[in-house]
Amino acid sequence: MSETTNQSEQAETVETHNFQTEAKQLLKLMIHSLYSNREIFLRELISNASDAIDKLRFKAIEAPDLLGDDPDYHIDITFDKDAKTLTIADNGIGMTRQEVITNLGTIAKSGTAEFLATLTGDQAKDAQLIGQFGVGFYSAFMVADEVEVRTLGAGAEQGVRWRSAGEDAYELEDIDGLSRGTQVILHLQEDALDFADDFRLRSVVRKYSDHIGVPVRMLQQTPPGDPDSEEQAQDTTLEFEAVNSAKALWTRSRSEVEDEEYKEFYKHVSHDFEDPLSWSHNRVEGKLEYTSLLYIPKRAPFDLYNREAPRGLKLYVQRVFIMDDAEQFLPLYLRFIKGVVDSNDLPLNVSREILQQDDRVTSIRNALTKRVLSMLDSMAKKEPEQYQAFWDEFGEVLKEGAGEDFANREALSKLLRFATTKTDGPAKTVSLDAYLERKAENQESIYYICAETYETASRSPHLEVFKDKDVEVLLMFDRIDEWLMSMLTQYNDISFVDVMRDDVSLPGEVNSAEDSDDAEGTEGTKEGAEEDETSPLAERITTALADKVEKVRPSKRLTQSPACLVLADYAMGVQMRKIMEASGQAMPESKPIFEFNPEHPLLQRLDSESDEDRFAELVGILFDQASLAEGGTLADPGAYVERLNRLLLDLLDS
Ligand code: ADP
């Protein structure tokens, strides 16, 4: 593709070549559209240098002679403020003349022409597309008005110089006196002179290339006060020092890394001052190759529930830092996980947009999700106290997962913990497995109750019969619980049953809810219920409560309290309703079922009350009390107080 003109007025060996058309187009577009983040040129050039070193490292396994007397790999960055140059030099594999023409004059990627045809001319859109395509070597032209490459292939005799101003053409010339590898010399643009600065360069190197497995070196800074400090290139006393740590921690094998090092690295990636609770470091090989190092923090961040807060892993591709907060590698409910994923398969210039649609990313996300869940599972088994500490901080977020991540629902359900009627206080929890292990012999459901607080849940009248029969009930009082339970219907094929609902059957009883699809099967139960509802007391109560309730019936679940309110099976839970109302949603009216305890002395006394007004007043109080007991708010609290005070007066007067 390139054209050659011998320019006889210059040295015989200088040739001018035209860039391949596609290369020319891409170069122009890149210079103009990627301008806003131009410091990445350094990442690209260091990455190329590191690749060149990797290639030589690989070749030298078979041909160690290639290394000659320069066996230590390094990438050196120097600058000269006066000459306005910045040089990135490596002692990698270098290039032959032909390789220079192919690699730096053309774009070998298949489909380049088609790709370029899709560009719109709209700078912002094109910038995204080009970012996806690959910036690479040409990004040098974002900061340089001329780029010079001097290179000597490993084992080659003849060095080559390539030079271009990034327009239509480049010059090529044989030169002597080079040592193995490649030097890229950037003649900086006036507005890019800030890159000829020790501090700036070091910080860019650390930001993007800290974990390149090769030392990226810069000249030591002269001691403070030295008048020659600016003239570092001429100061022969200066030596090179590595700017990066040169060995990516996650690339080392687990057995080589001390716990302390893992902890230090955690602080570096998370900006957390505390040690992590736990971590998992894994290398995956096969169809996809990647390494992950995932940390569980000890404490939930203050912005755990802020949807805008940055989250995600640090993404590296082949040990080159690509981006922070790569959120595509974990689901939202694992947003508290910190760490690194280092892929060997993704392109270096991968953008967030690409990450969102890339199948490889999806596979990695699925695998990392399972990895975290199994890390938690083994913590729960081996270190239950540590798991409890985790649960206290992050349990609610994990519940989001159990509700929304269908594929991992089972693993997530295993990780759930709940206080129960048989544990002591809100902080003592059990797993669903532990609950099932000790369930009553003929128990066919997992019973639970949702309320606003632990106290409301644990003292709910709905629990009386369960306590009496020694059946354990899960106590749920997190905001998310009612939603969670609307998503979870079963665990290990055993159904969850809300004890506040209409159709609760106790262990050993036929579950009429299960039969209700079958018209004939329900008959018996229904008839029984009808009978109860038509009892004279139920009828009197129905009249007294009028339109406040859907139904009135004697209760099977009360043993101590006089009355309770029961939700129809289809009705929205009390907590969910409150949340919806608080968010300004108009909710349809929903009436509870009023259940009374015919054995209770109050009810027995009521039954013999002949004054209908007084009867209605007392029933009204029972209704309001039942509502209070489940943490509900009274429609007319003033009326309740008045009624109660009237009764108190009666009592005192009598
Ligand atoms: P990419 O790195 O994506 O292939 P680049 O445009 O960055 O694209 O580089 C093109 C090619 O030039 C590289 O594939 C490599 O063969 C060669 N190259 C670039 N920099 C160097 C270097 N420092 N040493 C040896 N070869 C290099």
Side-chain angles (χ1 to χ4, degrees), residues 48-49 51-52 55 90 93-95 103-104 109 135-138 182:
N48 281 348
D51 280 351
K55 281 181 198 160
D90 66 72
I93 195 149
M95 284 177 274
N103 294 339
L104 307 185
K109 289 176 182 118
V135 265
F137 172 76
Y138 293 147
T182 303

Side-chain angles (χ1 to χ4, degrees), residues 40-55 75 88 90 136-137 208-209 212 214 216 317-322 347-349:
I40 59 157
F41 80 92
L42 195 58
R43 173 187 81 188
E44 298 291 323
L45 297 181
I46 290 175
S47 158
N48 281 348
S50 158
D51 280 351
I53 286 171
D54 281 347
K55 281 181 198 160
I75 299 164
I88 293 96
D90 66 72
F137 172 76
Y208 295 108
S209 313
I212 284 276
V214 185
V216 178
V317 170
Q318 297 170 36
R319 297 175 302 288
V320 181
F321 173 74
I322 305 296
L348 265 173
N349 47 53

Side-chain angles (χ1 to χ4, degrees), residues 114-365:
E114 293 88 325
F115 165 79
L116 289 167
T118 64
L119 297 182
T120 56
D122 172 336
Q123 262 192 21
K125 275 193 200 141
D126 290 352
Q128 258 187 17
L129 287 167
I130 292 164
Q132 292 171 20
F133 184 79
V135 265
F137 172 76
Y138 293 147
S139 63
F141 288 101
M142 295 194 296
V143 294
D145 38 34
E146 185 181 312
V147 177
E148 195 180 325
V149 177
R150 297 176 186 177
T151 183
L152 176 68
E157 308 260 296
Q158 183 61 61
V160 189
R161 182 165 79 169
W162 177 100
R163 206 159 56 172
S164 174
E167 283 159 8
D168 293 341
Y170 58 90
E171 279 179 15
L172 214 55
E173 184 184 4
D174 285 346
I175 55 167
D176 297 319
L178 298 180
S179 49
R180 182 193 78 223
T182 303
Q183 298 167 39
V184 179
I185 303 158
L186 309 179
H187 296 266
L188 293 169
Q189 294 165 10
E190 283 302 317
D191 65 356
L193 289 177
D194 54 323
F195 286 107
D197 178 86
D198 187 78
F199 181 79
R200 177 80 197 272
L201 288 169
R202 281 171 192 260
S203 75
V204 177
V205 170
R206 287 202 196 98
K207 180 166 170 192
Y208 295 108
S209 313
D210 193 46
H211 300 291
I212 284 276
V214 185
V216 178
R217 310 189 309 180
M218 289 183 63
L219 286 170
Q220 279 177 337
Q221 285 176 289
T222 45
D226 187 321
D228 291 337
S229 60
E230 296 269 298
E231 307 296 318
Q232 58 156 246
Q234 277 131 51
D235 191 337
T236 48
T237 64
L238 297 176
E239 289 191 356
F240 278 104
E241 63 182 357
V243 176
N244 64 338
S245 55
K247 181 78 185 153
L249 181 128
W250 64 90
T251 63
R252 294 156 61 187
S253 83
R254 275 190 297 214
S255 56
E256 267 177 33
V257 186
E258 305 282 334
D259 281 3
E260 272 317 307
E261 292 179 277
Y262 278 123
K263 289 178 187 171
E264 281 313 312
F265 184 72
Y266 166 74
K267 291 173 190 169
H268 166 69
V269 291
S270 67
H271 305 286
D272 191 345
F273 283 82
E274 272 191 294
D275 286 341
L277 190 64
S278 180
W279 60 84
S280 172
H281 179 193
N282 295 91
R283 181 164 306 146
V284 173
E285 276 158 7
K287 217 171 106 218
L288 278 179
E289 295 195 357
Y290 64 91
T291 301
S292 62
L293 173 50
L294 307 176
Y295 289 98
I296 300 172
K298 260 198 186 124
R299 235 172 270 283
F302 71 93
D303 53 1
L304 187 60
Y305 291 97
N306 174 0
R307 296 239 153 189
E308 306 295 307
R311 63 186 176 92
L313 302 175
K314 250 183 189 318
L315 172 64
Y316 284 77
V317 170
Q318 297 170 36
R319 297 175 302 288
V320 181
F321 173 74
I322 305 296
M323 63 177 80
D324 278 310
D325 314 321
E327 54 191 39
Q328 298 79 1
F329 290 90
L330 285 170
L332 182 64
Y333 68 88
L334 293 180
R335 58 188 174 273
F336 53 87
I337 299 287
K338 306 278 183 200
V340 168
V341 58
D342 185 347
S343 157
N344 272 350
D345 308 294
L346 295 172
L348 265 173
N349 47 53
V350 69
S351 64
R352 287 183 195 274
E353 289 73 22
I354 290 183
L355 288 180
Q356 261 158 24
Q357 313 146 1
D358 195 296
D359 289 347
R360 292 166 293 192
V361 176
T362 310
S363 310
I364 298 176
R365 191 207 352 249

Side-chain angles (χ1 to χ4, degrees), residues 412-476:
L412 280 154
S413 300
K414 251 186 190 334
L415 293 170
L416 297 175
R417 294 292 181 271
F418 299 101
T420 81
T421 45
K422 291 190 179 181
T423 60
D424 188 14
K428 293 266 188 302
T429 61
V430 302
S431 66
L432 294 174
D433 286 327
Y435 174 92
L436 287 180
E437 257 166 47
R438 62 196 198 200
K439 74 177 170 55
E441 217 172 89
N442 49 2
Q443 184 180 338
E444 281 163 15
S445 312
I446 301 172
Y447 295 104
Y448 71 93
I449 184 167
C450 285
E452 202 163 9
T453 63
Y454 171 77
E455 286 71 23
T456 316
S458 61
R459 292 204 232 171
S460 167
H462 293 85
L463 298 176
E464 288 169 6
V465 71
F466 292 89
K467 286 180 181 162
D468 256 29
K469 302 210 162 174
D470 200 34
V471 175
E472 189 170 18
V473 178
L474 304 176
L475 304 175
M476 306 200 183

Side-chain angles (χ1 to χ4, degrees), residues 70 73 97 100 122 125 185 203 265 341 367 376 385 409 436 495 522 537 608 620 637 642 650:
D70 185 14
Y73 299 110
R97 188 185 181 94
V100 170
D122 172 336
K125 275 193 200 141
I185 303 158
S203 75
F265 184 72
V341 58
L376 291 171
E385 276 175 29
R409 182 162 287 169
L436 287 180
S495 302
T522 56
L537 182 56
S608 56
E642 257 177 48
D650 277 0

